[in-house]
Every structure is written in structure tokens, then in C-alpha cells.
Amino acid sequence: MVEESPMVEFKDVTKIYSKSKQPAVEHISFKINKGEFCCLIGTSGSGKTTLMRMINRMNSVTKGQVLVNGKDVKKFNLVNLRRKIGYVIQNNGLMPHMTIRENIVLVPKLLKWPKEKLNEEAERLIKMAELPESYLDRYPAELSGGQQQRIGVVRALAADQNLILMDEPFGALDPITRESLQNLVQNLQMQLGKTIVFVTHDMDEALKLATKIVVLHDGKLIQVGSPEEILHHPANKFVESLIGEERLSEAKYETVKVKNVMTAPVKINLGASLNDALAMMKERHVDTLLVIDDDNHLKGYISIADLQRKYPHVSSVSDIMLPINATVGPEEYLRDNFSRILSRNGQYIPVVDAERKLIGVVTRASLVNVVYEKIWGEKKPATEELEKKAN
Amino acid sequence: MSKLGLWQQFIYYYQHNGSYVLQQFNRTFLISIYGVLFAAVVGIPIGIFISRNAHLGNFVVEIANFIQTIPSLALLSIIMIAMGLGVMTVIVTVTLYSLLPIIKNTYTGMKSVDKNVIDSGKGMGMTKWQLLYLVRLPLSMSVIIAGLKNALVIAIGITSIGSFVGAGGLGDIIIRGTNATNGSAIILAGALPTALMAILADLLLNFLQKWLQPKGLRN
Ligand SMILES: Nc1ncnc2c1ncn2[C@@H]1O[C@H](COP(=O)(O)OP(=O)(O)O)[C@@H](O)[C@H]1O
Ligand SMILES: [Mg+2]
């Protein structure tokens, strides 16, 4: 099968504005596939807008190549390229002297569609914007900011553009209006399978909408990845700061697995003597031992209480062993087992793999660490440290 | 002579020279209009052109400002030396004076069109011409017409003076009055319609300005 070319591809792209020596963006390479919702995120001045505007040639490319559907944007007829790409900017950019109807069908009109088709399209799109049809004959100034931006969004779909560029489209809206607009865009994108390039400086917005996030800083590409990847494996301190302390520790807590916090078990072989067991308890300062067979399979446990009671009469660990019901697997999420571990009478819960081989224990003490980090954040990356301990 | 006498004379003058006054009224009006129209034909494209370049824009507006500072009688005389007596001299002077308000307002109007609107027009794939006649011109129309209005009012004033170089018009009546003994009524007979014309021109263009203002921008 021939691989489909990506909707947009940046190939080692650098942009230097005339009159400035510093490149606004440099050596940027990444791809945006069809149907992806790609958020460009970064602080102000990081080059998000510059990068986005090179796609429809609102900015020229200084070095490198920008490809749309596998074709260098320079090879397109400028006007045709732009008519094929939807364009939404922050302050909606509606024509104040045109009615909503005229605004919506502006691109189809430039493309010289017949008149009946224009009206049909206007009616179809105002429905999509979830606004009454009577608004078609109003002027932009007669609509609220959120309503205007709804028109701005659907206008970008009027000529059935498959690629839509949006530059902080909801930046100027209040949080509630912003959320409803985000939902609108998300629904449209999912229903219609459009490819969207969306500039934002709001990580919440990016995490909510994106299927791919591109992090920029000082004109350089820092990280490209899915929201999950960005959230759970931020490339560096800068990405972490974009995500924010709170969301970061939340995310970490969310994804801590049992294997990340388990510690080495104190265990004894089924065939060992009670003398050995007693000595091990004393040495390790524990009152129970997990019992395994020669292949490390978990068989049960023994406790100091039973040992004391039966000591002279029996001599082997297997004679006083009790069965264990509760175990967890190493790949299970800690958050799903939290209460189970805490509510158990014992101090710990054994971790066994698929073959019931004992690989560790989760103690109440290790839960304390996790909660501590979730609430107070952490100085060192928690999961990595714990992983080290576990291995 | 009593005040009543002045008005009686004034009315008497109109009763006997009504058609002459009307003719001169028309003449003044046409000279002014021609001057402004020429200025518009030259000035509006210049204003549009220089709005793309701030340096050039400032430079051209400076030149127009400079022309404006020359007293009208002086400019009229200078042009008369070049072009001789007659109506063309006045029309050229009016054109030169009208250039400033027209260029300046076109330039300002073009500059003041919301950058976002232009950006989105461009981004949607408008050609330069489409951007000009679908966006930039409609949105600066009212400022441009305000410029024409200023130009026309100034033009009417200059045309009245223009009678000194033999262009005719209402100024002729005023000059006649200044030459006659007891000519106050005649001066008034020329001056009053001149003032009236300026006021009417202002009103008319105000109306035109409102009418041409795109609907979505009216409050
Ligand atoms: N038209 C321009 N001319 C010169 N420099 C520009 C222009 N537009 C942006 N820049 C510069 O390029 C850099 C990136 O800007 P921009 O892409 O607008 O960032 P962002 O959208 O991430 O805030 C900034 O340093 C900015 O000053
Ligand atoms: Mg920006």
C-alpha cells in the first residue's frame, strides 16, 4: 500500500522576518496527518503564529519546505491555496460591512458558486454554528463575541476546506463561552474529519482538543506528541512548566502503577525450617513472611503469632502457612487499588505476576509517599526514582 | 442708508438679475466640482497607493500640507502667471488645494481599516483587487467622503476669489459690488449665495457620507 502523504509537513523550516536577524522559528520539522487536531503551543513570541501562517503562505518560508498534501506550498497558486484552507483568527475577522450571510459564503462567492447554492450553504452553516437562521441577515456588530466567533469558525468550512488554521480563536472569550466554542470545534472536527491546526497558549485547551501537541519555545521545536505523551513524558523543564505543577503531579498520580511503588518482599521457601523463619523475621524486623516454592510461586504466608503458638510441635514453614487471597498485578494502576490496600488488615499486599510468581509488595508506607507527592508535589521525578528502587 | 434700504436694494437686485445670479451660482458650483473631481481622480488613487508604505505616505502628506500653507491668492497668482487668465487657472488651483484633504483622508481611511479584517480577507484568498473593492474601500468610504466634503467647501471659497483672474462666478458679483458706490447690497447678493452653497455642499455630502456608509457600520 502506498503511504498517504501527510496533510501538512514542515521540513527543516526556518523563518527570518526581513529587518530582523533572529529567526522567528528555526529548523522545524514535523508532520500533521489527515484528520489530526494539531495544537501548536508555546509562550507568547515562541513562533506559533509564524509557523501556522506559513501553511497558507500568509508568511513566506525563508528556508526549508512546507508541504500541503505532499506539495510544496510555493508551487500552489497563492489565491487558490488560501481558498482551499480555512482560516480563523482571534478577533474573528468578520467583515463588519457584510451581513452574516455574506460573511459565511465569502469564499464560495470568490469561487463564483451560483446564487442558490450560496444561500443553501449559508443556511447549512448557520445550523452548524447552532445559531438561528434569522441571524443570517444581521451584521456582525449585532452578535455577541461568542456568536461572532461561531460564525468565524463555520465560515472556515464554507467551501468544504479539509484543512483549517486557527490562531488563538477563543483567546478573547470568557471561559464559559470558550468552552462551548471548544465543544463546537471538537464536534465539527470529529464529525467531518477535518484536519485542524490550532494555535493556543492554553495547555488546558490543547489537552482537551488536540490529538497531537507541538510545543514551541523561542522559535524551536521542543516536543511533538499526543496529549498523553506530553503529559506523562514532558521532554524538559519548559514543557513541565507549561503543563503546570498541579496538572503534572495529578497526571503522575493518575498513572502510577503498582510496579512503580512496590518494594522487595521478605520471603521464605516452603521447605525452610521454623528456625530459619524466626531468624529471618528478627533480622528483617517483620512479623510475617511470604512463602514461596522453589519457582518463586506465592504459596501463602506465616505470621509470628502462629509460629509462637506451634513452635515446638511442628518444624516446617509449610505446617503453619496460611493462604493469601488478596494480591495485585504489577501493571495495575495504584489508584484503582488504593482503598483495597489500605482496607486490608495486613500492612502490605503481595504483588504477583501472571504466573503467580512473587515479585514484590506494596506497603502502607509506600502509599504514604505517593499521597505526599500528589498533595505537595515533588522535588525529584517520583516515578523514575521509584522505578529504580523496584528494579 | 437704513437697514431696510439695504434689504430692499438686495431684493430689487434679485428681482432684476435673478437669472444672472443663478448663472453665476452654477458657474461657481461647476468650477468647484470640477476642481474637486480632478483632485479626487488623482488624489484617491494616490492615497490608496501611499497607504501601503508609511514613509511614502508621510512624505506625500507633507507635500500636500505644504501646498495648503500657501495663501490661496498667492497660489492663484502664481498659477495665473503660468496659465494666464481664465477658468482653467481657477480649476487647477482648486484641484491643488483639494488634493490635501482628499489624499490625507484616503490615506487615513485606508490605514484605519481593521488589520484583522484585512488579514482574514487575505487569508481567505482575496486577490489584491478584491481586497480593495470588497473590503478596504467600503470600510474607508466614509472617511474618504469626509475628505471630499472638506475639499468642496474649500473649493467654493477659492472659486469666489477666482473671479479675480477672470473665471466668473459669484465672485464677479461681489467684485462688482466693491467697485460700485453704495454697493453693499450687491456684495451681499454675491456673498450670500456663496455661503449658502458652502453650507448646502456640506449638508449634501454629510448625507452622502451617511448613505454610503456600509449598513453594518451605522450605529
Ligand atoms: N511581521 C513580523 N515582523 C517581524 N517580526 C515578527 C513579525 N511577526 C512576528 N515577529 C517576531 O517573531 C517571533 C514569533 O512571533 P509569533 O509567531 O507571533 O509568536 P506567537 O504567535 O507564538 O506569539 C516574535 O519574536 C515576534 O516578535
Ligand atoms: Mg500569535
Side-chain angles (χ1 to χ4, degrees):
Chain A
M1 218 178 92
V2 188
E3 199 181 314
E4 216 182 351
S5 54
M7 192 57 129
V8 180
E9 181 171 4
F10 289 89
K11 275 188 174 168
D12 198 25
V13 170
T14 296
K15 168 75 189 178
I16 304 171
Y17 283 104
S18 53
K19 286 183 224 149
S20 94
K21 288 184 195 119
Q22 282 299 90
V25 293
E26 53 182 331
H27 302 305
I28 305 280
S29 302
F30 68 96
K31 291 177 191 172
I32 303 169
N33 293 319
K34 293 203 169 72
E36 263 185 322
F37 198 123
C38 177
C39 281
L40 308 182
I41 192 164
T43 45
S44 175
S46 56
K48 309 179 291 290
T49 301
T50 302
L51 201 58
M52 191 197 82
R53 286 163 63 95
M54 283 193 273
I55 299 172
N56 63 351
R57 272 174 65 189
M58 290 298 279
N59 284 341
S60 61
V61 181
T62 311
K63 262 183 258 164
Q65 268 188 317
V66 178
L67 310 178
V68 170
N69 269 324
K71 187 172 160 188
D72 191 329
V73 287
K74 283 179 190 156
K75 301 220 168 77
F76 282 88
N77 171 290
L78 180 64
V79 163
N80 289 343
L81 176 76
R82 289 177 181 165
R83 289 177 187 175
K84 264 190 267 179
I85 299 178
Y87 188 56
V88 186
I89 57 178
Q90 177 165 352
N91 295 309
N92 74 60
L94 295 185
M95 304 292 160
H97 58 301
M98 296 183 187
T99 60
I100 298 302
R101 185 191 306 275
E102 291 167 324
N103 265 290
I104 291 183
V105 295
L106 194 52
V107 176
K109 203 166 175 186
L110 296 178
L111 293 168
K112 302 202 163 60
W113 287 16
K115 193 151 187 183
E116 324 81 71
K117 221 175 145 201
L118 290 181
N119 277 331
E120 254 169 52
E121 187 68 0
E123 280 156 25
R124 187 175 76 83
L125 287 165
I126 193 112
K127 276 197 203 94
M128 214 178 257
E130 295 159 359
L131 292 174
E133 239 173 68
S134 61
Y135 278 32
L136 283 175
D137 297 311
R138 293 196 180 185
Y139 286 94
E142 297 168 312
L143 269 59
S144 73
Q147 292 170 337
Q148 288 180 24
Q149 195 56 295
R150 280 174 181 270
I151 300 299
V153 168
V154 296
R155 178 175 66 169
L157 305 167
D160 204 24
Q161 295 92 333
N162 287 320
L163 173 61
I164 297 156
L165 312 180
M166 302 191 172
D167 191 354
E168 310 207 16
F170 312 138
L173 302 175
D174 65 84
I176 295 173
T177 312
R178 186 183 315 151
E179 200 180 330
S180 74
L181 265 290
Q182 287 168 347
N183 293 338
L184 175 74
V185 168
Q186 195 163 39
N187 289 342
L188 292 181
Q189 197 259 344
M190 284 176 183
Q191 282 166 22
L192 307 174
K194 305 287 181 186
T195 309
I196 296 183
V197 182
F198 190 105
V199 167
T200 180
H201 60 258
D202 177 358
M203 189 49 108
D204 279 320
E205 189 165 63
L207 290 173
K208 173 175 178 178
L209 296 174
T211 60
K212 176 180 272 181
I213 293 178
V214 175
V215 184
L216 294 171
H217 184 49
D218 277 347
K220 293 182 192 68
L221 189 131
I222 306 294
Q223 191 172 8
V224 182
S226 69
E228 288 72 30
E229 282 163 347
I230 300 281
L231 202 52
H232 298 136
H233 308 287
N236 59 19
K237 283 266 170 283
F238 173 72
V239 182
E240 282 179 16
S241 72
L242 265 188
I243 296 171
E245 192 94 11
E246 198 179 318
R247 227 186 271 105
L248 210 56
S249 48
E250 187 79 24
K252 275 191 179 145
Y253 166 67
E254 284 292 307
T255 56
V256 174
K257 289 180 171 175
V258 165
K259 68 173 181 191
N260 301 136
V261 298
M262 68 185 185
T263 51
V266 183
K267 57 192 184 184
I268 192 156
N269 195 283
L270 199 56
S273 71
L274 287 188
N275 286 337
D276 293 340
L278 192 57
M280 186 179 281
M281 283 182 181
K282 179 173 188 307
E283 188 193 322
R284 305 290 291 267
H285 306 286
V286 293
D287 60 357
T288 60
L289 295 173
L290 291 172
V291 182
I292 53 168
D293 65 11
D294 291 339
D295 290 327
N296 202 24
H297 291 112
L298 179 64
K299 288 298 177 188
Y301 76 101
I302 58 170
S303 75
I304 186 71
D306 296 327
L307 192 147
Q308 187 207 9
R309 210 150 20 88
K310 301 196 175 158
Y311 178 60
H313 314 297
V314 298
S315 59
S316 160
V317 163
S318 59
D319 296 329
I320 61 166
M321 184 181 78
L322 295 171
I324 282 184
N325 304 321
T327 58
V328 292
E331 296 296 332
E332 286 183 56
Y333 285 108
L334 198 61
R335 58 162 198 257
D336 300 332
N337 291 287
F338 221 93
S339 53
R340 199 147 71 91
I341 298 167
L342 286 177
S343 67
R344 227 175 76 85
N345 293 331
Q347 293 292 307
Y348 60 83
I349 190 165
V351 183
V352 295
D353 64 12
E355 298 159 43
R356 266 194 91 73
K357 285 187 179 174
L358 178 66
I359 52 177
V361 292
V362 178
T363 65
R364 289 181 165 226
S366 43
L367 294 189
V368 171
N369 288 336
V370 174
V371 174
Y372 177 94
E373 276 159 14
K374 183 199 170 195
I375 292 175
W376 280 331
E378 28 85 53
K379 307 291 165 270
K380 295 173 204 161
T383 44
E384 279 163 38
E385 194 184 69
L386 290 164
E387 249 160 34
K388 247 180 269 152
K389 230 185 270 170
N391 294 335
Chain B
M1 194 180 277
S2 73
K3 232 189 165 102
L4 198 70
L6 178 66
W7 284 109
Q8 276 171 337
Q9 285 182 34
F10 177 76
I11 290 161
Y12 179 85
Y13 186 86
Y14 271 33
Q15 277 164 348
H16 288 81
N17 302 289
S19 66
Y20 171 68
V21 173
L22 199 66
Q23 203 185 326
Q24 297 304 341
F25 187 94
N26 277 345
R27 193 174 174 80
T28 299
F29 187 68
L30 283 180
I31 293 172
S32 308
I33 287 280
Y34 278 131
V36 171
L37 278 184
F38 282 141
V41 165
V42 178
I44 292 177
I46 290 181
I48 292 170
F49 182 73
I50 61 176
S51 68
R52 293 171 180 280
N53 184 326
H55 291 297
L56 187 64
N58 290 334
F59 178 67
V60 171
V61 170
E62 279 305 309
I63 292 179
N65 257 328
F66 171 71
I67 296 174
Q68 201 80 2
T69 54
I70 306 171
S72 45
L73 201 56
L75 187 63
L76 203 58
S77 315
I78 293 166
I79 290 169
M80 188 192 71
I81 290 168
M83 298 186 61
L85 293 171
V87 71
M88 275 320 286
T89 300
V90 181
I91 290 180
V92 168
T93 312
V94 167
T95 302
L96 283 176
Y97 270 100
S98 303
L99 277 177
L100 174 76
I102 290 173
I103 292 178
K104 206 166 159 180
N105 277 42
T106 307
Y107 177 69
T108 315
M110 287 280 150
K111 280 290 209 193
S112 64
V113 176
D114 187 350
K115 292 270 179 309
N116 283 312
V117 171
I118 294 192
D119 189 74
S120 83
K122 246 191 228 167
M124 283 191 295
M126 285 189 178
T127 61
K128 273 190 184 140
W129 279 110
Q130 286 169 335
L131 205 58
L132 183 64
Y133 73 79
L134 290 175
V135 183
R136 297 167 80 215
L137 272 178
L139 288 180
S140 45
M141 191 50 81
S142 123
V143 184
I144 295 175
I145 291 178
L148 292 178
K149 186 173 69 184
N150 289 346
L152 189 56
V153 171
I154 294 171
I156 290 166
I158 292 169
T159 309
S160 318
I161 301 170
S163 302
F164 282 107
V165 296
L170 290 169
D172 260 8
I173 302 176
I174 298 172
I175 293 167
R176 202 168 291 190
T178 53
N179 290 339
T181 39
N182 284 338
S184 303
I186 304 175
I187 294 175
L188 203 58
L192 217 59
T194 311
L196 193 70
M197 190 191 301
I199 292 168
L200 281 179
D202 192 61
L203 285 176
L204 193 77
L205 281 173
N206 268 336
F207 174 75
L208 192 69
Q209 191 179 353
K210 287 227 177 71
W211 187 65
L212 282 177
Q213 171 78 320
K215 245 182 153 182
L217 299 178
R218 295 179 206 167
N219 301 315

